[in-house]
Amino acid sequence: GAVVSQHPSWVICKSGTSVKIECRSLDFQATTMFWYRQFPKQSLMLMATSNEGSKATYEQGVEKDKFLINHASLTLSTLTVTSAHPEDSSFYICSARGLAGESYNEQFFGPGTRLTVL
Amino acid sequence: RKEVEQDPGPFNVPEGATVAFNCTYSNSASQSFFWYRQDCRKEPKLLMSVYSSGNEDGRFTAQLNRASQYISLLIRDSKLSDSATYLCVSEPSGGYNKLIFGAGTRLAVHP
């Protein structure tokens, strides 16, 4: 099956610093990647949709200047949490949609990145 | 009102039991529906898609009632390994694959 990796798997940082999270599709090309955030005991909330070579589309209420998304290639998207604060502490999960074939409509999820801001 | 609503549970059942989860969605234009399984501190994994005609995959049966905007998941002969959170998911039409997740229903299967 299609594999999506995320790096790092967890990160602890001080308030005010920026954190970059990478999402890679390892064995397929992904035209579209999605970034989600999940707080404890809550549902995954879509933050933004990222298309290769174009600007990300952010969901209502998500600050695009705080959560910078770059999707420079068909296998890599990055999410940078700028000037992180404790309320940004969460589980960030990416998913990737396949380019073609059987996996075209399915989203494959990365293992997630747990961010803790002190 | 949340777009996808689920009973959070937890459902505590013995091995071998049959358990059913329900889910309602508010967007009548939603086209596709799924059940995902999420283990603690892990990413969600697709369990099965849900079709209007109902579909079955081994011990799992999913049903969709578009008139009532209601989705169900039935698990027969529960195993300890079924313990997880089950997420009901809708995909709005024309949404470029956006997935709307419910908060999940927690299942704990005990010996």
Side-chain angles (χ1 to χ4, degrees):
Chain A
V3 179
V4 175
S5 71
Q6 274 184 248
H7 179 78
S9 55
W10 59 270
V11 57
I12 301 172
C13 69
K14 292 182 180 178
S15 187
T17 59
S18 293
V19 175
K20 181 187 278 189
I21 302 170
E22 292 186 351
C23 176
R24 292 181 188 272
S25 56
L26 298 185
D27 50 2
F28 68 103
Q29 293 183 316
T31 50
T32 305
M33 288 185 170
F34 303 86
W35 287 96
Y36 296 84
R37 179 168 54 180
Q38 186 177 33
F39 293 107
K41 301 197 179 191
Q42 294 187 28
S43 57
L44 274 77
M45 296 298 295
L46 180 64
M47 299 175 67
T49 302
S50 167
N51 292 297
E52 185 263 338
S54 63
K55 288 184 181 179
T57 302
Y58 290 81
E59 294 300 299
Q60 192 172 11
V62 178
E63 298 174 57
K64 63 180 181 183
D65 295 328
K66 181 168 180 65
F67 299 99
L68 302 178
I69 291 172
N70 184 287
H71 192 163
S73 77
L74 285 172
T75 59
L76 173 64
S77 176
T78 60
L79 168 68
T80 301
V81 183
T82 62
S83 186
H85 290 284
E87 58 266 30
D88 297 323
S89 299
S90 187
F91 190 45
Y92 291 85
I93 308 175
C94 73
S95 71
R97 185 171 65 121
L99 185 62
E102 289 186 9
S103 63
Y104 182 69
N105 274 327
E106 185 176 347
Q107 284 188 36
F108 300 95
F109 285 83
T113 297
R114 195 159 298 281
L115 170 64
T116 302
V117 185
L118 302 176
Chain B
R1 184 186 170 189
K2 294 179 185 173
E3 279 202 59
V4 178
E5 299 217 50
Q6 297 180 249
D7 178 346
F11 285 62
N12 294 299
V13 303
E15 274 186 287
T18 295
V19 61
F21 304 141
N22 302 321
C23 164
T24 58
Y25 61 95
S26 61
N27 185 347
S28 59
S30 293
Q31 291 292 309
S32 304
F33 304 90
F34 310 90
W35 283 101
Y36 277 74
R37 171 196 168 124
Q38 186 175 26
D39 292 290
C40 188
R41 303 173 86 86
K42 301 278 191 179
E43 76 276 22
K45 297 197 173 180
L46 180 65
L47 181 65
M48 59 198 303
S49 300
V50 188
Y51 305 117
S52 296
S53 54
N55 49 303
E56 188 174 307
D57 183 1
R59 298 181 293 109
F60 300 85
T61 302
Q63 295 274 358
L64 166 63
N65 184 321
R66 287 192 184 274
S68 303
Q69 294 182 203
Y70 171 96
I71 301 157
S72 66
L73 176 68
L74 184 78
I75 304 176
R76 290 180 298 279
D77 189 23
S78 299
K79 311 289 185 194
L80 294 176
S81 56
D82 293 334
S83 298
T85 296
Y86 290 83
L87 307 173
C88 178
V89 182
S90 74
E91 181 181 343
S93 61
Y96 302 96
N97 253 187
K98 280 174 60 169
L99 297 180
I100 308 297
F101 283 81
T105 298
R106 204 150 57 85
L107 171 66
V109 182
H110 57 81

